[in-house]
Amino acid sequence: MLCLTSQATHTGTAGLFLRAASFLAIFVIASGLFASPAPAGAATGDLLRTIAVNPDPGCPNEFLFGVAFDGQDLLVSCSLNNVITRVNPANGAVLGSISVTEIPSEQGIHSISWDAKNNQLWAGTMKQGVSMNNVSVYTISLDKTAGTSTAMLRFEATLGVRFAAILDGLAYDGTDDTLWVGVDRSGTIVHFSQTGTQLGSIDVLGKLGGPGRDNSGIAIADAATLYVANAVGRQVFSVTKDGGSINFFANAPLPPNFPLEDLECDSTTFAPKSAFWTTAGLGLDLFAFEVPAGQCAQGGVLGPVPPPGPTPTPTPPPGPPPPPTPGDVCPPTAPFFPETGFCIDNPAIQAYFQGRGGTDTFGFPVSRSFVLLGFAAQVFQRHVLRVHPDGVRPVNLLDPDVLPVTTVNFATFPANDPALAASAPPPTTPNYGNAVLAHLQANVPDSFEGVNVQFLQSYLAAGQQAAQMGDFGPLVALEIWGFPTSRPARDPNNANFIYQRFQRAILHSFPDPNNPAVRITRGILLADNLKFVLTDDPVLLSADLRAQVQNSRFFNQYCPNNLAWLCRPAELPDTDLTAAFEKQQP
């Protein structure tokens, strides 16, 4: 799974989850006020029950998100707060709520999954507003009497996110005491131990009903099989845990345009039938639809499931980590970024970063300082910065010997246009700064095919801060982005995505998830992908990018057991990757 999203920071937490207001009329008509009866002779995929949670549990975003079933109560989350609401599965009546502590308030509880073997709730969160690919997984021992419970952080992980930062796939697997996790439409289901060790992954990109219909909710079928939903198509697929077989299982009977989100098995409420419960990502309804008896593992456990017992004693967290080794701790003067776990401790890089727009331009740091081809360097999400004798300069990431890519995670970028690249004014041009600005105005538009792509505006914004200090802004922006090397072009697989290629970056214009009528423009996280290439990341390096870099000197070079942590030092002379991608402490 690959972190290709071009937003390094989040713009409006609550808005990310809001669905189109026009769907609300459908919701009112479809949901009603009370539970709907099960149809006679129901079969796989048939609607068994629709319940409107009543009274409103007070979700800040006005819709339910995660759903779990503990054998007695439905448990629902809202994603924008840390409250679990208990719901009667027969009629939707709210039975009480449980406020959860020890989860940062800015995260909120996303997908949830009941663990019948250990009588606890697993909960997934994401760090909204800062980084869109950091997942935290907790266990919660629910105290229904007190109405408060404490969450225990079990592990954190970094997952690739192509669209919204929503964790809507989480399933406890009682067949081997593990977890399956998927971020909304990321195209990959990741298998974790309970301590966060990655055990494997399944590529489902484009395999759940076609392109654009990628993963949302997850549930356990049996010891060999998962159920994986796609949100857009409102379908469920059976997926073998080795990824070898993916087959259509059922259509979810949701109203039109209601996305299918979380999944949870229930073998009790409709016995002898089994059912999926799901939320629809819009409104306060819960839907149950039929699964053949014995083919859905309630609480992750096959066979009869005991009702929830008394609250267990939480397993104590692991002891303190060993003392840090030199270089692990950031110096007091170095700004530390908890979003990624790295600081900027090279003074020259720090000054350049702060004077050229900070995270808006570069994203967060994703490496320590290290030596790359003879120069001090640091990798950020969008750029790699190197300290040259005459100052800090970004690497030309799209050069033929670095990342000459046209597809990453099946997003298709415009190819290099040699004629356009050759038309850039040379540095010897009289009034060079003005010539550069004229070239940019002629070839980098703010409007393309009637769409407000804001490419020129976004490009020049990188130089605005330096311009306030007396520099010529367009030349500073040129230093960061380079000259345009393509015209704007739409992604052939998603016409809403429009890209323009430059020497050092690719700008990406896409609809604002809060308001699709508005566009957002950001740089693609290219340098993040160079890191995935260097480390041959088994999850985040996409198959299409891996195929393009097999012969690159940067591919699979990170070897901690080797001198300078290099796998093939002859290919990267004067380079030292020692601990370059090992996280630091503030």
Side-chain angles (χ1 to χ4, degrees):
M1 188 172 354
L2 179 67
C3 179
L4 179 61
T5 176
S6 53
Q7 282 182 284
T9 56
H10 182 63
T11 54
T13 302
L16 175 62
F17 300 98
L18 295 180
R19 311 294 182 181
S22 61
F23 295 166
L24 291 177
I26 301 172
F27 159 70
V28 172
I29 294 170
S31 66
L33 295 178
F34 303 100
S36 63
T44 300
D46 279 355
L47 184 67
L48 295 175
R49 184 169 295 165
T50 302
I51 55 176
V53 176
N54 186 33
D56 182 338
C59 293
N61 47 10
E62 298 184 353
F63 70 86
L64 303 175
F65 191 83
V67 61
F69 179 65
D70 69 1
Q72 294 178 344
D73 303 339
L74 288 170
L75 309 167
V76 296
S77 64
C78 296
S79 83
L80 293 184
N81 63 22
N82 293 332
V83 176
I84 298 295
T85 301
R86 298 168 48 225
V87 176
N88 186 327
N91 56 21
V94 171
L95 303 174
S97 63
I98 300 169
S99 297
V100 180
T101 61
E102 300 301 322
I103 296 178
S105 58
E106 71 273 11
Q107 293 186 23
I109 298 173
H110 291 210
S111 186
I112 54 180
S113 180
W114 183 249
D115 174 351
K117 184 176 290 188
N118 301 293
N119 196 29
Q120 61 187 357
L121 185 69
W122 289 89
T125 74
M126 296 190 76
K127 297 179 180 178
Q128 301 300 330
V130 286
S131 177
M132 297 184 71
N133 62 353
N134 292 304
V135 172
S136 301
V137 176
Y138 297 81
T139 50
I140 307 168
S141 297
L142 298 179
D143 189 333
K144 297 181 180 180
T145 302
T148 60
S149 294
T150 300
M152 179 185 296
L153 178 63
R154 302 303 292 266
F155 64 87
E156 293 182 322
T158 299
L159 303 178
V161 182
R162 296 187 299 137
F163 297 97
I166 309 172
L167 196 161
D168 59 358
L170 176 66
Y172 165 73
D173 189 344
T175 67
D176 57 4
D177 280 324
T178 61
L179 294 163
W180 297 88
V181 178
V183 176
D184 187 44
R185 294 181 287 170
S186 60
T188 304
I189 308 299
V190 187
H191 192 198
F192 288 104
S193 73
Q194 292 193 22
T195 58
T197 300
Q198 186 178 317
L199 305 175
S201 63
I202 304 173
D203 177 16
V204 297
L205 186 66
K207 302 174 184 178
L208 304 177
R213 295 187 172 190
D214 296 319
N215 55 291
S216 54
I218 308 171
I220 307 301
D222 53 39
T225 310
L226 305 174
Y227 292 118
V228 180
N230 77 57
V232 176
R234 300 181 299 284
Q235 297 169 315
V236 178
F237 288 75
S238 62
V239 179
T240 55
K241 293 177 182 179
D242 62 4
S245 176
I246 299 178
N247 294 296
F248 172 79
F249 179 75
N251 288 306
L254 274 61
N257 298 318
F258 276 46
L260 173 59
E261 299 293 354
D262 207 1
L263 280 181
E264 181 82 354
C265 293
D266 177 355
S267 301
T268 302
T269 303
F270 305 96
K273 300 172 182 176
S274 295
F276 289 129
W277 285 101
T278 186
T279 58
L282 180 65
L284 304 176
D285 276 10
L286 294 168
F287 301 86
F289 56 101
E290 185 170 354
V291 181
Q295 294 187 24
C296 202
Q298 178 180 313
V301 176
L302 302 176
V305 180
T311 301
T313 302
T315 303
T325 57
D328 288 346
V329 178
C330 298
T333 57
F336 178 76
F337 295 83
E339 298 86 355
T340 51
F342 294 100
C343 61
I344 309 174
D345 54 13
N346 182 293
I349 292 177
Q350 183 183 140
Y352 190 88
F353 174 87
Q354 294 172 341
R356 299 291 192 270
T359 56
D360 285 344
T361 300
F362 302 100
F364 296 105
V366 293
S367 81
R368 304 183 184 194
S369 298
F370 62 98
V371 178
L372 178 63
L373 299 173
F375 300 99
Q378 187 163 10
V379 181
F380 294 79
Q381 289 176 305
R382 295 194 180 99
H383 292 275
V384 178
L385 299 181
R386 291 202 299 172
V387 184
H388 294 256
D390 60 344
V392 177
R393 297 288 181 270
V395 171
N396 287 357
L397 286 173
L398 292 167
D399 273 1
D401 66 340
V402 186
L403 281 179
V405 296
T406 54
T407 64
V408 177
N409 202 24
F410 305 99
T412 301
F413 309 129
N416 180 71
D417 180 344
L420 176 59
S423 70
T428 55
T429 304
N431 298 315
Y432 180 63
N434 289 330
V436 166
L437 178 57
H439 182 75
L440 295 173
Q441 290 171 332
N443 296 289
V444 182
D446 276 330
S447 179
F448 174 71
E449 295 182 353
V451 177
N452 182 27
V453 294
Q454 308 168 57
F455 284 150
L456 182 62
Q457 176 183 330
S458 301
Y459 182 104
L460 295 175
Q464 288 177 352
Q465 188 172 344
Q468 295 172 3
M469 306 299 294
D471 292 324
F472 187 61
L475 287 182
V476 175
L478 174 68
E479 178 184 293
I480 292 168
W481 302 108
F483 282 113
T485 57
S486 82
R487 308 291 181 186
R490 295 181 185 269
D491 190 317
N493 297 314
N494 187 339
N496 282 323
F497 287 3
I498 303 173
Y499 308 104
Q500 185 164 15
R501 188 184 191 98
F502 298 84
Q503 289 175 300
R504 302 182 185 102
I506 296 171
L507 284 177
H508 176 199
S509 171
F510 56 96
D512 185 343
N514 303 341
N515 180 3
V518 175
R519 306 284 295 189
I520 293 175
T521 301
R522 296 284 189 273
I524 291 290
L525 307 186
L526 282 177
D528 238 355
N529 288 289
L530 180 61
K531 172 182 173 178
F532 305 153
V533 169
L534 282 163
T535 58
D536 190 20
D537 192 295
V539 175
L540 300 177
L541 181 59
S542 67
D544 56 348
L545 180 55
R546 178 178 276 109
Q548 294 173 82
V549 299
Q550 287 295 309
N551 297 320
S552 168
R553 61 176 174 164
F554 293 96
F555 176 62
N556 192 22
Q557 278 280 23
Y558 196 59
C559 288
N561 295 324
N562 290 9
L563 183 66
W565 292 39
L566 281 165
C567 303
R568 304 180 308 282
E571 296 179 23
L572 290 178
D574 301 317
T575 296
D576 188 342
L577 295 182
T578 300
F581 303 115
E582 307 305 305
K583 292 190 177 183
Q584 298 169 286
Q585 300 176 31

